[in-house]
Amino acid sequence: MTQPGTPERPLRVAIIGSGPAGFYAADHLFRRKDLIIEVDMFDRLATPFGLVRFGVAPDHQKIKTAIKPFEKTASNPNFTFYGSVDFGSHLSLEDLKNHYHQICFATGAQTDRQMGIEGEDLAGSHTATEFVAWYNGHPEYRDHVFDLSAERIAVVGVGNVAVDVARILCRTPDELAKTDITDYALEALAECNVKEVYMLGRRGPAQAAFTNPEAKELGELQGADIYVPPAEAQLDPLSQAYVDESDDRKLLKKIEIIQGFANKPATGKARRLTLRFLVSPTELCGDSAGRVVTMKLVKNELLDDGGRLRPKPTGEVEELPVELVFRSVGYRGVPLPGIPFNDELGVVPNEKGRVTSDGTQATTGLYVTGWIKRGPTGIIGTNKPDAGETVACMVEDLEHGSFNKPADPTPESIRSLIEKRQPQYVSFDDWRRLDQMEIAAGAAGGRPRVKFTSVEEIQSALNKS
Ligand code: NAP
């Protein structure tokens, strides 16, 4: 029998997850002009594009143009989208093996790392991902409630997600009204009482994980003054020694931006965003109703640990009164049914994207790309070369005859299985209709779109309920 990849016998690939990693993988596959490849992409959510829709901040519309090439990929006649189809409940690994030569997981990192401190689960303490998913209209988070009557809010972590959360909390209603933030979030944020937002970095300015354009934007908010305690803007001796030797211009710029904030006079805006460094939360303390009222912090110093500067508590402590806490200390992958998982790293063990059962032995026909492969690092574009590496392995394995031997690889057979298991699945044409409806709904208010935020709304708009 001929190898799959010919017009008579196309290579059938399933990609699980329709965020950037999944779409870049599809694109790399379609670029192989020597092979006929059919890609079926599955997402447990009704709508495609993963974190571009539910993660990228609503006031960062330019970043959302990343979907343009994905729309082009989706218009390939060999591409099929099955939205609202959940791997693990609607389809098992065995089902996929019965229908596809290769299966690539691009499921991202769907949960958060824990801080591991007392009081982390008190009322008023949330993960940043919950808040981000809420204001972005993720159907599973739209009913979350955040007590925005709080005047003082702490965001733990100084990565770009923490910056997004802090910035959204500091934006004025007018600034937010021009975005595609959900109406319920717009309303709640317009009424919020916040006066102080603290972003807390456990290491120093030189180790801040945020990127420079995002940091700079914090100094340009209409409704909030930025502040950095001058002593915390200074570099500790180890960081200073590193910086003195470094020609990393981005790093030097980052320090300049942060130190500029320390010298920026307050202009009497309604809110203040304070960036703190070298502090770690050690405990969240609650009132008698179990609501956060205070965060205990310890001052850190930095320690050289084999070339990496790590935070070490000094014993100097302080209490920061805060009524709401967002923990933004990084995302974490979740295990996939039937697929090996490295619990320590929160990723699927793999070698360049080939899923490995014991860390070395490749598992035939199974691949990963994106955050579930390498962990939650990098920007959207980082997923492109990452997917390229995985697809190169897929093609190499195909050439060596190493792929699943599905009993029934025809597109019709998987479609009829899905119609049986999830008759309300959403196709890419369905999504195009939803997209047009959302854009039309936004046009009246001069907004990019007004999102559908529940499965029921989506099904009803598509006449599927
Ligand atoms: P991140 O960049 O890894 O930042 C995590 C932050 O949490 C770091 O400051 C880290 O400090 C801190 N942290 C970790 N454990 C901690 C603990 N136990 N206590 C206190 N602080 C702790 O992760 P992220 O912000 O979730 O972003 C994920 C990825 O998405 C990043 O690559 C980011 O650039 C990207 N992203 C990009 C954009 C954009 O381009 N606009 C927007 C959002 C996200 P240490 O450095 O000390 O570990």
Side-chain angles (χ1 to χ4, degrees):
M1 196 188 264
T2 55
Q3 195 124 300
T6 62
E8 303 73 43
R9 196 177 171 225
L11 177 75
R12 299 271 305 146
V13 178
I15 296 178
I16 318 302
S18 68
F23 268 103
Y24 283 129
D27 177 53
H28 280 292
L29 287 163
F30 287 145
R31 278 173 194 271
R32 294 298 307 221
K33 297 300 172 210
D34 52 331
L35 293 168
I36 304 298
I37 304 179
E38 292 175 351
V39 173
D40 287 0
M41 184 178 279
F42 297 88
D43 204 298
R44 70 193 182 91
L45 297 177
T47 53
F49 310 135
L51 276 186
V52 181
R53 182 175 169 92
F54 295 119
V56 173
D59 59 341
H60 277 175
Q61 288 298 314
K62 216 168 146 200
I63 298 180
K64 293 186 189 235
T65 57
I67 65 164
K68 287 277 166 240
F70 305 159
E71 285 169 336
K72 192 164 167 246
T73 301
S75 66
N76 187 307
N78 284 359
F79 177 89
T80 304
F81 176 68
Y82 290 106
S84 286
V85 177
D86 183 30
F87 172 72
S89 53
H90 298 118
L91 289 177
S92 67
L93 183 59
E94 278 317 298
D95 293 326
L96 293 178
K97 283 183 172 173
N98 275 335
H99 292 89
Y100 297 96
H101 301 105
Q102 295 181 328
I103 302 153
C104 180
F105 294 93
T107 48
Q110 295 164 35
T111 188
D112 294 78
R113 275 195 223 131
Q114 294 270 312
M115 287 196 298
I117 61 168
E118 212 172 307
E120 190 162 358
D121 297 322
L122 284 174
S125 165
H126 307 270
T127 61
T129 44
E130 279 172 79
F131 188 59
V132 169
W134 171 77
Y135 64 59
N136 274 326
H138 190 302
E140 289 160 10
Y141 294 84
R142 54 168 271 152
D143 295 326
H144 276 47
V145 177
F146 303 94
D147 182 3
L148 294 169
S149 67
E151 291 194 357
R152 287 158 299 197
I153 304 180
V155 183
V156 184
V158 286
N160 279 331
V161 172
V163 171
D164 283 347
V165 168
R167 197 181 62 250
I168 293 296
L169 287 167
C170 288
R171 285 269 187 226
T172 63
D174 280 353
E175 285 176 305
L176 291 175
K178 297 187 201 103
T179 74
D180 65 355
I181 195 166
T182 53
D183 285 344
Y184 57 76
L186 187 59
E187 209 173 296
L189 287 163
E191 285 172 10
C192 87
N193 283 337
V194 61
K195 292 195 168 49
E196 287 272 3
V197 177
Y198 304 97
M199 275 179 67
L200 306 174
R202 63 178 171 178
R203 298 191 287 157
Q207 293 81 32
F210 50 61
T211 39
N212 293 347
E214 280 66 24
K216 198 164 160 276
E217 210 180 353
L218 294 179
E220 296 160 356
L221 297 168
Q222 270 177 30
D225 282 316
I226 180 94
Y227 174 66
V228 181
E232 292 180 14
Q234 294 311 312
L235 299 189
D236 65 289
L238 288 176
S239 301
Q240 189 64 58
Y242 176 82
V243 166
D244 288 344
E245 297 279 295
S246 173
D247 56 1
D248 180 344
R249 291 170 65 172
K250 285 187 182 163
L251 174 63
L252 299 178
K253 183 74 196 166
K254 183 179 294 182
I255 295 163
E256 187 189 315
I257 294 170
I258 294 168
Q259 294 184 340
F261 290 160
N263 297 318
K264 208 168 180 225
T267 59
K269 292 179 183 172
R271 292 173 184 164
R272 186 168 75 156
L273 172 57
T274 299
L275 257 167
R276 301 278 316 262
F277 292 100
L278 287 169
V279 286
S280 280
T282 53
E283 185 182 344
L284 301 185
C285 309
D287 60 11
S288 57
R291 294 202 52 83
V292 173
V293 286
T294 315
M295 176 185 271
K296 286 189 180 165
L297 292 173
V298 66
K299 189 90 191 143
N300 294 326
E301 59 188 359
L302 293 182
L303 197 77
D304 190 340
D305 182 9
R308 184 180 152 86
L309 296 186
R310 292 194 183 279
K312 180 173 171 274
T314 59
E316 186 186 332
V317 293
E318 70 176 287
E319 290 200 1
L320 188 68
V322 285
E323 301 91 45
L324 196 58
V325 175
F326 292 108
R327 288 120 53 197
S328 184
V329 297
Y331 289 91
R332 194 183 144 77
V334 294
L336 294 154
I339 312 294
F341 191 69
N342 181 328
D343 202 44
E344 202 187 321
L345 302 177
V347 298
V348 170
N350 70 91
E351 193 48 50
K352 294 183 177 175
R354 291 180 176 102
V355 174
T356 54
S357 53
D358 60 359
T360 53
Q361 184 70 39
T363 308
T364 308
L366 298 188
Y367 302 87
V368 279
T369 185
W371 281 2
I372 195 65
K373 169 187 176 185
R374 68 174 194 277
T377 59
I379 58 171
I380 293 171
T382 314
N383 294 297
K384 194 172 181 174
D386 181 283
E389 181 186 61
T390 297
V391 167
C393 292
M394 293 166 81
V395 172
E396 194 180 301
D397 292 350
L398 176 72
E399 284 165 0
H400 291 129
S402 171
F403 51 87
N404 282 322
K405 312 289 176 324
D408 195 353
T410 64
E412 296 74 30
S413 65
I414 185 74
R415 173 151 302 161
S416 73
L417 182 71
I418 291 163
E419 279 167 352
K420 223 183 296 161
R421 303 256 180 93
Q422 171 50 316
Q424 292 178 317
Y425 77 87
V426 175
S427 69
F428 208 81
D429 276 346
D430 289 335
W431 158 248
R432 286 193 182 99
R433 286 167 54 208
L434 291 170
D435 190 31
Q436 287 311 313
M437 286 186 251
E438 288 188 344
I439 291 170
R447 306 177 62 187
R449 67 177 64 236
V450 175
K451 288 179 183 174
F452 291 106
T453 60
S454 77
V455 176
E456 294 72 29
E457 281 175 16
I458 288 173
Q459 298 296 349
S460 146
L462 295 172
N463 293 322
K464 288 190 185 231
S465 43

